[in-house]
Amino acid sequence: MARQVQLIQRLPPVSVIVATLVLTTMLVLVIFAPMIAPMDPRDVSSYSLMDAEIPPAFMDGGDPRFLLGTDNQGRDLVSVILFGLRISVLIGIGAVLFAAVMGVLLGLIAGFFGGRVDSIVMRIADVLVSFPTILVALLISGIAKAQLDADTVLTWAPAILVFAIAINEWVQYARTVRASSMVEVSRDYVRAAKVIGLPSRRIMIRHILPNVISAVMVIATINLAGAILTEATLSFLGAGMPPTYPSLGTLIRIGNEFLFSGLWWIAVMPATVLVILVLAVNVIGDYLRDRFNPKLMAR
């Protein structure tokens, strides 16, 4: 009986299970969006202006062909949202991976070597963290658009946005990994590795990194929601993805122009998907943070 009670206590809450199912479903939609979407919103020949501004199928005047209605260009909202979800998730994952790799690398170096190297890395981190993420992203996006021609910006828009979001997010990874590395460096197994002459790179990657990776995973999960929201905010402000890339933020910005003219579904539908996505990621991130918290695990 006691074993059954312990097993039940270890099971994740219902909210986490539901969030995991929702997030898994969205990831499947992201991967197979080109095959699932009724039309390709990037192909102008696949939609018509004659089908513009059709309400969802469950409303009066709706068309069974368009489950969630169409936008002002006649594009099927289901298709546009699927491709927009794909772009938003991929940019969010790309920004998190870029920030995590950069932050973990700098954090390991700062924590392992200490001294002047640690001071330089942490002072750079202090300068970056003093600026809001959205402000830094707006600055980098503006500089890229000013220095590059329109075709280059259009081609490299996703990469520019990933860099703009990630450049200010690596600080949290670096600080966490640095603190953990400083603790690990003082342990006997690291001292023994130094004594037998193992190179510093091998000690950091093979011995210290596995002991700090769990904290990095938790931070990455929580920051994924923030990266997706930052992308949506930048696209909504017109400084993110261009209109030819139907990200969720771009769709909400376009729909906002028609929100008070009765065409509410153009903005509400992608906004609802964005809210559900961010909520699911946050629920999972909070669970992982509590799960890997030593103080809570001891209870």
Coordinates of all heavy atoms in Angstrom, one line a residue, residues 50-119:
M50 N -11.5 36.0 -53.8 CA -12.9 35.8 -53.7 C -13.3 35.1 -52.5 O -14.5 35.1 -52.1 CB -13.4 35.0 -55.0 CG -13.1 35.7 -56.3 SD -14.0 37.2 -56.5 CE -15.7 36.6 -56.5
D51 N -12.3 34.4 -51.8 CA -12.6 33.7 -50.6 C -12.2 34.5 -49.4 O -12.1 33.9 -48.2 CB -11.9 32.3 -50.6 CG -12.4 31.4 -51.7 OD1 -13.6 31.4 -52.0 OD2 -11.6 30.6 -52.3
A52 N -11.9 35.7 -49.5 CA -11.4 36.5 -48.4 C -12.5 36.8 -47.4 O -13.7 37.0 -47.7 CB -10.8 37.9 -48.9
E53 N -12.0 36.9 -46.1 CA -12.9 37.3 -45.0 C -14.1 36.4 -44.8 O -15.2 36.9 -44.4 CB -13.3 38.8 -45.2 CG -12.1 39.7 -45.3 CD -12.5 41.1 -45.5 OE1 -13.7 41.4 -45.6 OE2 -11.6 42.0 -45.6
I54 N -14.0 35.1 -45.0 CA -15.1 34.2 -44.8 C -15.0 33.8 -43.3 O -13.9 33.4 -42.8 CB -14.9 32.9 -45.7 CG1 -15.1 33.3 -47.2 CG2 -16.0 31.9 -45.3 CD1 -15.0 32.2 -48.1
P55 N -16.1 33.8 -42.6 CA -16.1 33.5 -41.1 C -15.9 32.0 -41.0 O -15.9 31.2 -41.9 CB -17.5 33.9 -40.7 CG -18.3 33.9 -41.9 CD -17.4 34.3 -43.0
P56 N -15.6 31.6 -39.7 CA -15.4 30.1 -39.5 C -16.6 29.3 -39.8 O -17.7 29.8 -39.9 CB -15.1 30.1 -37.9 CG -14.6 31.5 -37.6 CD -15.3 32.4 -38.6
A57 N -16.4 28.0 -40.1 CA -17.4 27.2 -40.6 C -18.6 27.0 -39.6 O -19.7 26.8 -40.0 CB -16.9 25.8 -40.9
F58 N -18.4 27.2 -38.3 CA -19.4 27.1 -37.3 C -20.3 28.4 -37.1 O -21.2 28.4 -36.3 CB -18.8 26.7 -35.9 CG -17.7 27.6 -35.4 CD1 -18.0 28.8 -34.8 CD2 -16.4 27.2 -35.7 CE1 -17.0 29.6 -34.4 CE2 -15.4 28.0 -35.2 CZ -15.7 29.2 -34.6
M59 N -20.0 29.4 -37.9 CA -20.7 30.7 -37.9 C -21.6 30.8 -39.1 O -21.4 30.1 -40.1 CB -19.8 31.9 -37.8 CG -19.0 32.0 -36.5 SD -17.9 33.4 -36.5 CE -19.0 34.7 -36.8
D60 N -22.6 31.7 -39.0 CA -23.4 32.0 -40.2 C -22.6 32.6 -41.3 O -21.8 33.5 -41.0 CB -24.5 33.0 -39.8 CG -25.5 32.4 -38.8 OD1 -25.6 31.1 -38.8 OD2 -26.2 33.1 -38.1
G61 N -22.7 32.1 -42.5 CA -22.0 32.6 -43.6 C -20.6 31.8 -43.8 O -19.9 32.2 -44.6
G62 N -20.4 30.9 -42.9 CA -19.1 30.1 -43.0 C -19.1 29.1 -44.1 O -20.2 28.8 -44.7
D63 N -18.0 28.7 -44.5 CA -17.8 27.7 -45.6 C -17.1 26.5 -45.0 O -16.1 26.5 -44.3 CB -16.9 28.3 -46.6 CG -16.9 27.5 -47.9 OD1 -16.9 26.3 -47.9 OD2 -16.8 28.1 -49.0
P64 N -17.7 25.3 -45.3 CA -17.1 24.0 -44.8 C -15.7 23.8 -45.2 O -15.0 23.0 -44.6 CB -18.1 22.9 -45.3 CG -19.3 23.6 -45.6 CD -19.0 25.0 -46.0
R65 N -15.3 24.4 -46.3 CA -13.9 24.3 -46.7 C -12.9 24.9 -45.8 O -11.7 24.5 -45.8 CB -13.7 24.9 -48.1 CG -14.5 24.2 -49.2 CD -14.3 24.9 -50.6 NE -14.7 26.3 -50.5 CZ -14.4 27.3 -51.3 NH1 -13.6 27.0 -52.3 NH2 -14.8 28.5 -51.2
F66 N -13.4 26.0 -45.1 CA -12.5 26.7 -44.2 C -13.0 26.6 -42.8 O -13.9 27.4 -42.4 CB -12.4 28.2 -44.7 CG -12.1 28.4 -46.1 CD1 -13.1 28.8 -47.0 CD2 -10.9 28.0 -46.6 CE1 -12.9 29.0 -48.3 CE2 -10.6 28.2 -48.0 CZ -11.6 28.7 -48.9
L67 N -12.4 25.7 -42.0 CA -12.9 25.4 -40.7 C -12.8 26.6 -39.8 O -13.7 26.9 -39.0 CB -12.1 24.3 -40.1 CG -12.4 23.8 -38.7 CD1 -13.9 23.3 -38.6 CD2 -11.5 22.8 -38.2
L68 N -11.7 27.4 -39.8 CA -11.5 28.6 -39.0 C -11.7 29.9 -39.8 O -11.4 30.9 -39.3 CB -10.1 28.5 -38.3 CG -9.9 27.3 -37.4 CD1 -8.5 27.4 -36.8 CD2 -10.9 27.3 -36.3
G69 N -12.2 29.8 -41.0 CA -12.4 31.0 -41.8 C -11.2 31.3 -42.6 O -10.2 30.5 -42.7
T70 N -11.2 32.5 -43.2 CA -10.1 32.9 -44.1 C -9.7 34.4 -43.6 O -10.5 35.0 -42.9 CB -10.5 33.0 -45.5 OG1 -11.6 33.8 -45.7 CG2 -10.9 31.6 -46.0
D71 N -8.5 34.8 -44.0 CA -8.1 36.1 -43.7 C -8.4 37.1 -44.8 O -9.2 36.8 -45.7 CB -6.6 36.1 -43.4 CG -5.7 35.7 -44.6 OD1 -6.3 35.4 -45.7 OD2 -4.5 35.6 -44.5
N72 N -7.8 38.3 -44.8 CA -8.2 39.3 -45.8 C -7.6 39.0 -47.2 O -8.0 39.6 -48.1 CB -7.6 40.6 -45.3 CG -6.1 40.6 -45.1 OD1 -5.5 39.7 -44.5 ND2 -5.4 41.7 -45.6
Q73 N -6.7 38.0 -47.3 CA -6.1 37.6 -48.6 C -6.8 36.4 -49.1 O -6.4 35.9 -50.2 CB -4.6 37.4 -48.4 CG -3.9 38.6 -47.9 CD -2.4 38.4 -47.8 OE1 -1.8 37.8 -48.7 NE2 -1.8 38.7 -46.7
G74 N -7.7 35.8 -48.4 CA -8.4 34.6 -48.8 C -7.6 33.3 -48.5 O -8.0 32.2 -49.0
R75 N -6.7 33.4 -47.6 CA -5.9 32.2 -47.1 C -6.7 31.5 -46.0 O -7.3 32.1 -45.1 CB -4.6 32.6 -46.6 CG -3.7 33.3 -47.7 CD -2.3 33.7 -47.1 NE -2.4 34.6 -46.0 CZ -1.3 35.1 -45.3 NH1 -0.1 34.7 -45.7 NH2 -1.5 35.9 -44.3
D76 N -6.7 30.2 -46.1 CA -7.3 29.4 -45.1 C -6.6 29.5 -43.8 O -5.4 29.3 -43.7 CB -7.3 27.9 -45.5 CG -7.8 27.0 -44.5 OD1 -8.8 27.3 -43.8 OD2 -7.2 25.9 -44.3
L77 N -7.3 29.9 -42.7 CA -6.6 30.2 -41.4 C -6.0 28.9 -40.8 O -5.0 29.0 -40.1 CB -7.6 30.8 -40.5 CG -7.8 32.3 -40.5 CD1 -8.7 32.8 -39.5 CD2 -6.4 33.0 -40.4
V78 N -6.6 27.8 -41.0 CA -6.0 26.5 -40.5 C -4.6 26.3 -41.1 O -3.7 26.1 -40.4 CB -6.9 25.3 -40.8 CG1 -6.2 24.0 -40.5 CG2 -8.2 25.4 -40.1
S79 N -4.5 26.5 -42.4 CA -3.2 26.4 -43.1 C -2.2 27.4 -42.6 O -1.1 27.1 -42.3 CB -3.4 26.5 -44.6 OG -4.3 25.5 -45.1
V80 N -2.7 28.7 -42.5 CA -1.8 29.8 -42.1 C -1.3 29.6 -40.7 O -0.2 29.8 -40.4 CB -2.6 31.1 -42.3 CG1 -1.7 32.3 -41.8 CG2 -2.9 31.4 -43.7
I81 N -2.2 29.1 -39.8 CA -1.9 28.9 -38.4 C -0.9 27.8 -38.3 O 0.1 27.8 -37.5 CB -3.1 28.7 -37.6 CG1 -3.9 30.0 -37.4 CG2 -2.8 28.2 -36.2 CD1 -5.2 29.8 -36.7
L82 N -1.1 26.7 -39.1 CA -0.1 25.6 -39.0 C 1.3 26.0 -39.4 O 2.2 25.7 -38.7 CB -0.6 24.4 -39.9 CG -1.8 23.6 -39.4 CD1 -2.3 22.6 -40.4 CD2 -1.5 22.9 -38.1
F83 N 1.4 26.8 -40.5 CA 2.7 27.2 -40.9 C 3.2 28.3 -40.0 O 4.4 28.4 -39.7 CB 2.6 27.8 -42.4 CG 2.7 26.7 -43.4 CD1 1.5 26.1 -43.8 CD2 3.9 26.4 -44.0 CE1 1.6 25.1 -44.8 CE2 3.9 25.5 -45.0 CZ 2.8 24.8 -45.4
G84 N 2.3 29.1 -39.5 CA 2.8 30.1 -38.5 C 3.3 29.5 -37.2 O 4.3 29.9 -36.6
L85 N 2.6 28.5 -36.7 CA 3.0 27.7 -35.6 C 4.4 27.1 -35.8 O 5.2 27.1 -34.9 CB 2.0 26.6 -35.2 CG 2.3 25.7 -34.1 CD1 2.3 26.5 -32.8 CD2 1.2 24.6 -34.0
R86 N 4.6 26.6 -37.0 CA 5.8 25.9 -37.4 C 7.0 26.9 -37.3 O 8.0 26.7 -36.7 CB 5.7 25.4 -38.8 CG 6.9 24.5 -39.2 CD 6.8 24.0 -40.6 NE 7.7 22.9 -40.8 CZ 8.0 22.4 -42.0 NH1 7.5 23.0 -43.1 NH2 8.8 21.4 -42.2
I87 N 6.8 28.1 -37.8 CA 7.8 29.1 -37.8 C 8.1 29.6 -36.4 O 9.3 29.7 -36.0 CB 7.4 30.3 -38.7 CG1 7.4 29.9 -40.2 CG2 8.4 31.5 -38.5 CD1 6.9 30.9 -41.2
S88 N 7.1 29.9 -35.6 CA 7.3 30.4 -34.3 C 8.0 29.3 -33.4 O 8.9 29.7 -32.6 CB 5.9 30.7 -33.7 OG 5.3 31.8 -34.3
V89 N 7.6 28.1 -33.5 CA 8.2 27.0 -32.7 C 9.7 26.8 -33.1 O 10.6 26.7 -32.3 CB 7.4 25.7 -32.8 CG1 8.2 24.6 -32.2 CG2 6.1 25.9 -32.1
L90 N 9.9 26.8 -34.4 CA 11.3 26.6 -34.9 C 12.2 27.7 -34.5 O 13.4 27.5 -34.1 CB 11.3 26.4 -36.4 CG 10.7 25.1 -36.9 CD1 10.8 25.0 -38.4 CD2 11.4 23.9 -36.3
I91 N 11.7 29.0 -34.5 CA 12.5 30.1 -34.1 C 12.8 30.1 -32.6 O 13.9 30.3 -32.1 CB 11.8 31.4 -34.5 CG1 11.9 31.6 -36.0 CG2 12.5 32.6 -33.8 CD1 11.2 32.8 -36.5
G92 N 11.7 29.7 -31.9 CA 11.9 29.6 -30.4 C 12.9 28.5 -30.0 O 13.8 28.8 -29.2
I93 N 12.8 27.4 -30.7 CA 13.8 26.3 -30.4 C 15.2 26.7 -30.8 O 16.2 26.4 -30.1 CB 13.3 25.0 -31.1 CG1 12.0 24.4 -30.5 CG2 14.4 23.9 -31.0 CD1 11.5 23.2 -31.2
G94 N 15.3 27.3 -32.0 CA 16.6 27.8 -32.4 C 17.2 28.8 -31.5 O 18.4 28.7 -31.2
A95 N 16.4 29.7 -31.0 CA 17.0 30.7 -30.1 C 17.4 30.1 -28.8 O 18.4 30.4 -28.2 CB 15.9 31.8 -29.8
V96 N 16.6 29.2 -28.3 CA 16.9 28.5 -27.0 C 18.2 27.7 -27.2 O 19.1 27.7 -26.3 CB 15.8 27.6 -26.6 CG1 16.2 26.6 -25.4 CG2 14.6 28.4 -26.1
L97 N 18.4 26.9 -28.3 CA 19.6 26.1 -28.5 C 20.8 27.0 -28.6 O 21.9 26.7 -28.1 CB 19.4 25.3 -29.8 CG 18.4 24.1 -29.7 CD1 18.3 23.4 -31.0 CD2 18.8 23.1 -28.6
F98 N 20.7 28.1 -29.4 CA 21.8 29.0 -29.5 C 22.2 29.6 -28.2 O 23.4 29.7 -27.9 CB 21.4 30.1 -30.5 CG 22.5 31.1 -30.9 CD1 23.3 30.8 -32.0 CD2 22.8 32.2 -30.1 CE1 24.4 31.6 -32.3 CE2 23.9 33.0 -30.5 CZ 24.6 32.8 -31.6
A99 N 21.2 30.1 -27.4 CA 21.5 30.7 -26.1 C 22.1 29.6 -25.2 O 23.0 29.9 -24.4 CB 20.3 31.3 -25.6
A100 N 21.5 28.4 -25.2 CA 22.0 27.4 -24.3 C 23.5 27.0 -24.6 O 24.3 26.9 -23.7 CB 21.1 26.2 -24.4
V101 N 23.8 26.8 -25.8 CA 25.1 26.4 -26.2 C 26.1 27.5 -25.8 O 27.2 27.2 -25.2 CB 25.2 26.1 -27.7 CG1 26.7 25.9 -28.1 CG2 24.4 24.8 -28.0
M102 N 25.8 28.7 -26.2 CA 26.7 29.8 -25.8 C 26.8 30.0 -24.3 O 27.9 30.2 -23.8 CB 26.1 31.1 -26.5 CG 27.0 32.3 -26.3 SD 26.3 33.7 -27.2 CE 27.6 35.0 -26.9
G103 N 25.7 30.0 -23.6 CA 25.7 30.2 -22.2 C 26.4 29.1 -21.4 O 27.2 29.3 -20.5
V104 N 26.2 27.8 -21.8 CA 26.9 26.7 -21.2 C 28.4 26.7 -21.4 O 29.2 26.5 -20.5 CB 26.3 25.3 -21.7 CG1 27.2 24.2 -21.3 CG2 24.9 25.1 -21.2
L105 N 28.8 27.1 -22.7 CA 30.2 27.1 -23.0 C 30.9 28.2 -22.1 O 31.9 28.0 -21.5 CB 30.4 27.4 -24.5 CG 31.8 27.6 -25.0 CD1 32.6 26.3 -24.7 CD2 31.8 27.9 -26.4
L106 N 30.3 29.4 -22.1 CA 30.9 30.5 -21.4 C 30.9 30.3 -19.9 O 31.8 30.6 -19.1 CB 30.2 31.8 -21.7 CG 30.4 32.3 -23.2 CD1 29.6 33.6 -23.4 CD2 31.9 32.6 -23.4
G107 N 29.8 29.6 -19.4 CA 29.6 29.3 -18.0 C 30.7 28.3 -17.5 O 31.2 28.4 -16.4
L108 N 30.9 27.3 -18.4 CA 31.9 26.3 -18.0 C 33.3 26.9 -18.0 O 34.1 26.6 -17.0 CB 31.9 25.2 -19.0 CG 30.8 24.1 -18.9 CD1 30.8 23.2 -20.1 CD2 30.9 23.3 -17.6
I109 N 33.6 27.8 -18.9 CA 34.9 28.4 -19.0 C 35.1 29.3 -17.8 O 36.2 29.3 -17.1 CB 35.1 29.2 -20.3 CG1 35.1 28.2 -21.5 CG2 36.4 30.0 -20.3 CD1 35.1 28.9 -22.8
A110 N 34.1 30.1 -17.5 CA 34.2 31.0 -16.3 C 34.3 30.3 -15.0 O 35.1 30.7 -14.2 CB 33.0 32.0 -16.3
G111 N 33.5 29.3 -14.8 CA 33.5 28.5 -13.6 C 34.8 27.7 -13.4 O 35.3 27.5 -12.3
F112 N 35.3 27.1 -14.5 CA 36.4 26.2 -14.4 C 37.7 27.0 -14.2 O 38.6 26.7 -13.3 CB 36.5 25.4 -15.7 CG 37.6 24.4 -15.6 CD1 37.4 23.1 -15.0 CD2 38.9 24.6 -16.2 CE1 38.4 22.2 -15.0 CE2 39.9 23.7 -16.2 CZ 39.6 22.4 -15.5
F113 N 37.9 28.1 -15.0 CA 39.2 28.8 -14.9 C 39.2 29.9 -13.8 O 40.2 30.2 -13.2 CB 39.6 29.4 -16.2 CG 39.9 28.4 -17.3 CD1 38.9 28.1 -18.3 CD2 41.1 27.7 -17.3 CE1 39.2 27.1 -19.2 CE2 41.4 26.8 -18.3 CZ 40.5 26.5 -19.2
G114 N 38.0 30.5 -13.6 CA 37.9 31.6 -12.6 C 38.8 32.8 -13.0 O 39.2 33.0 -14.1
G115 N 39.1 33.6 -11.9 CA 40.1 34.7 -12.1 C 39.6 35.7 -13.1 O 38.4 36.1 -13.2
R116 N 40.5 36.1 -14.0 CA 40.3 37.2 -14.9 C 39.3 36.8 -16.0 O 38.4 37.5 -16.4 CB 41.6 37.6 -15.6 CG 41.4 38.8 -16.6 CD 42.7 39.2 -17.1 NE 43.6 39.8 -16.0 CZ 44.8 40.3 -16.2 NH1 45.4 40.2 -17.4 NH2 45.5 40.7 -15.2
V117 N 39.3 35.5 -16.4 CA 38.4 35.0 -17.4 C 37.0 35.0 -16.8 O 36.0 35.5 -17.5 CB 38.7 33.5 -17.8 CG1 37.7 32.9 -18.7 CG2 40.1 33.4 -18.4
D118 N 36.8 34.6 -15.6 CA 35.5 34.7 -15.0 C 35.0 36.2 -14.9 O 33.8 36.4 -15.2 CB 35.6 34.1 -13.6 CG 34.3 34.1 -12.8 OD1 33.2 34.0 -13.5 OD2 34.3 34.2 -11.6
S119 N 35.9 37.1 -14.5 CA 35.5 38.5 -14.4 C 35.0 39.0 -15.7 O 34.0 39.8 -15.8 CB 36.6 39.3 -13.8 OG 37.0 38.9 -12.5

